[in-house]
Amino acid sequence: MLRRSVYNRQFQRTIGNISKKSNLTIGLIPGDGIGKEVIPSGRQVLETIGPKHGLTFNFIDLQAGWQTFLDTGKALPVETVKTLRENCDGALFGAVQSPTTKVEGYSSPIVALRKELGLYANIRPVKSVDTPGNKKVDMVIVRENTEDLYIKLEKTYIDEKTGTRVADATKRISEVATRRIAKIALDIALQRLKNNGNVQLTVTHKSNVLSQSDGLFREVCKEVFESNKTLYSDIQYNEQIIDSMVYRLFREPECFDVIVAPNLYGDILSDGAAALVGSLGVVPSANVGPGIVIGEPCHGSAPDIAGKGISNPIATIRSTALMLEFLGHSQAAQDIQTAVDSNLREDKIKTPDLGGKNSTSDVVNDVIRRL
Ligand code: NAI
Ligand code: MG
């Protein structure tokens, strides 16, 4: 087995943006609904952890989302993208509310941001804490972030034969995007290599039906794996068709380690996997690319609980830790994750989604107390 330091170096080469800067500028984009309630918790945690690790943070508040669209006519103001690109090392994005029907001029700002900033990978760790009777879940879903059906090339037209409406959407899978997502997934697998050398990568697809698009995804992932046999020799390579993947994920979640998926399957799989660890409110993500890292909870704006002060801040706090990790501050990141795990393991101070009676700020204060 190769030494862990080799894996770490390899990982840093892939990410390419590990800055290790100690004075960091962080954009805060709360968005809509509970995004506004959870993003301040990320800031509080950074302000607490900073002095303990010699880090200072300069925060910039930024706009995006449905309310921004209603106010200004733009869901993602040019100024937000410009500031992120030119001034920020990292950012925290809450959630935006998107209408389910087409609204002229509106387009999801997070999907646009990922594209604009080249944030090609969405890294989503889904982890349970060790408690008796709990099935151990410890996986990372690596979701391709820039293409697939999310390129949003759709059209509606009238079918000549029936005279009724038909809608088409283009699913795009490219070799370039697949190659880089496969690479980062393999490097994450390397990083996670347990001492016994037991780590696996599962490529998920539907190439039995979509032989060209998902077929290409499958093929390129395999090529990347096989292209460096020495480096990846300790990784067990698996493939799983998306529907049976869901079945297995729910039946034996403990069998999965790193999962790499095209955009749409990755999106759906990670919300499903969230149910395995208690709540969408605890599952974080990092949008990663060559220039900037954006931490983002996997959940949406949760209009059903927005404004009540009971949204779970843990997904955002964990996303904050992930952002720090991808900015090269692994120890600070680890300390945050440990504080969160300790809150979850104690199972006392928790929001209603986890069966508790506490508020968002109770949980934030409890995590901060443990830092
Ligand atoms: P959602 O993720 O907002 O909510 C699903 C369920 O999980 C709800 O019952 C909600 O109360 C619960 N939940 C989510 N986060 C929670 C938290 N932190 N604490 C406690 N409970 C939590 O998904 P939904 O309802 O399908 O979408 C609502 C809106 O969010 C839509 O407008 C959608 O477009 C948007 N959305 C935005 C995303 C983003 O900005 N990245 C991602 C997903 C959805
Ligand atoms: Mg989603």
Side-chain angles (χ1 to χ4, degrees):
M1 212 212 294
L2 291 167
R3 284 198 331 277
R4 186 166 283 267
S5 59
V6 176
Y7 301 144
N8 285 339
R9 273 207 303 280
Q10 175 64 26
F11 187 62
Q12 294 186 5
R13 264 202 296 274
T14 302
I15 305 292
N17 63 352
I18 301 217
S19 67
K20 284 231 166 206
K21 268 169 68 179
S22 57
N23 185 359
L24 296 152
T25 300
I26 307 295
L28 299 174
I29 317 156
D32 303 305
I34 65 165
K36 291 196 173 62
E37 299 167 31
V38 291
I39 288 304
S41 65
R43 178 181 180 147
Q44 270 177 276
V45 164
L46 288 175
E47 281 168 343
T48 310
I49 199 90
K52 298 183 201 298
H53 290 271
L55 301 173
T56 52
F57 298 101
N58 165 36
F59 296 100
I60 306 181
D61 293 319
L62 297 167
Q63 305 292 320
W66 177 244
Q67 192 56 50
T68 304
F69 174 74
L70 295 179
D71 295 344
T72 68
K74 292 242 178 324
L76 180 63
V78 177
E79 189 55 38
T80 297
V81 181
K82 189 171 179 304
T83 308
L84 287 170
R85 190 176 275 139
E86 293 175 7
N87 306 101
C88 296
D89 302 292
L92 295 174
F93 184 96
V96 292
Q97 185 191 323
S98 292
T100 41
T101 50
K102 185 165 173 48
V103 172
E104 209 47 55
Y106 180 87
S107 181
S108 165
I110 184 65
V111 175
L113 252 189
R114 290 168 181 157
K115 243 186 257 170
E116 290 256 0
L117 299 174
L119 299 166
Y120 65 86
N122 194 271
I123 318 284
R124 304 184 150 191
V126 184
K127 189 169 172 272
S128 60
V129 290
D130 292 326
T131 47
N134 230 4
K135 254 193 180 174
K136 188 172 177 348
V137 178
D138 185 4
M139 64 181 90
V140 182
I141 297 169
V142 182
R143 168 186 172 192
E144 200 288 322
N145 228 3
T146 60
E147 54 180 26
D148 197 356
L149 283 163
Y150 289 65
I151 58 169
K152 297 203 282 187
L153 269 184
E154 293 188 289
K155 63 172 184 209
T156 307
Y157 54 94
I158 303 294
D159 179 64
E160 279 176 15
K161 273 196 198 133
T162 64
T164 57
R165 284 170 301 167
V166 179
D168 287 347
T170 303
K171 174 178 166 100
R172 176 168 300 148
I173 302 287
S174 71
E175 192 173 335
V176 169
T178 308
R179 204 168 279 288
R180 65 190 178 195
I181 202 71
K183 211 158 168 333
I184 197 167
L186 280 160
D187 290 346
I188 288 172
L190 284 181
Q191 267 226 324
R192 286 164 60 88
L193 261 177
K194 318 269 161 37
N195 289 335
N196 61 8
N198 183 12
V199 73
Q200 49 165 317
L201 176 83
T202 308
V203 178
T204 189
H205 61 86
K206 186 75 186 176
S207 69
N208 51 328
V209 176
L210 301 167
S211 61
Q212 302 210 29
S213 51
D214 279 14
L216 183 63
F217 189 83
R218 201 190 127 261
E219 236 171 72
V220 172
C221 285
K222 185 130 204 223
E223 276 169 30
V224 175
F225 173 68
E226 287 179 344
S227 69
N228 198 336
K229 283 242 165 81
T230 323
L231 186 62
Y232 301 138
S233 61
D234 296 321
I235 298 173
Q236 191 192 323
Y237 180 92
N238 298 322
E239 292 172 354
Q240 189 81 43
I241 294 173
I242 184 65
D243 29 0
S244 56
M245 173 82 204
V246 172
Y247 175 71
R248 287 195 59 211
L249 192 73
F250 281 80
R251 230 182 131 86
E252 41 187 22
E254 67 282 6
C255 293
F256 291 98
D257 208 334
V258 180
I259 298 165
V260 61
N263 208 338
L264 178 64
Y265 306 151
D267 192 1
I268 297 171
L269 269 185
S270 44
D271 272 33
L276 299 167
V277 292
S279 169
L280 254 178
V282 301
V283 180
S285 84
N287 295 283
V288 175
I292 182 171
V293 183
I294 302 189
E296 177 202 355
C298 286
H299 61 72
S301 61
D304 54 338
I305 57 164
K308 296 183 179 163
I310 54 164
S311 53
N312 195 333
I314 287 181
T316 295
I317 298 175
R318 282 177 159 170
S319 304
T320 306
L322 273 182
M323 179 194 72
L324 278 183
E325 188 179 330
F326 282 105
L327 290 173
H329 298 288
S330 342
Q331 194 52 54
Q334 189 51 54
D335 287 0
I336 298 172
Q337 303 289 18
T338 305
V340 167
D341 286 354
S342 142
N343 160 279
L344 288 171
R345 203 170 289 116
E346 193 181 79
D347 201 28
K348 264 194 194 151
I349 312 282
K350 52 186 178 178
T351 44
D353 55 313
L354 291 177
K357 289 198 165 74
N358 294 99
S359 66
T360 308
S361 54
D362 290 339
V363 175
V364 178
N365 291 337
D366 188 61
V367 171
I368 284 178
R369 182 177 65 78
R370 291 165 198 271
L371 275 173

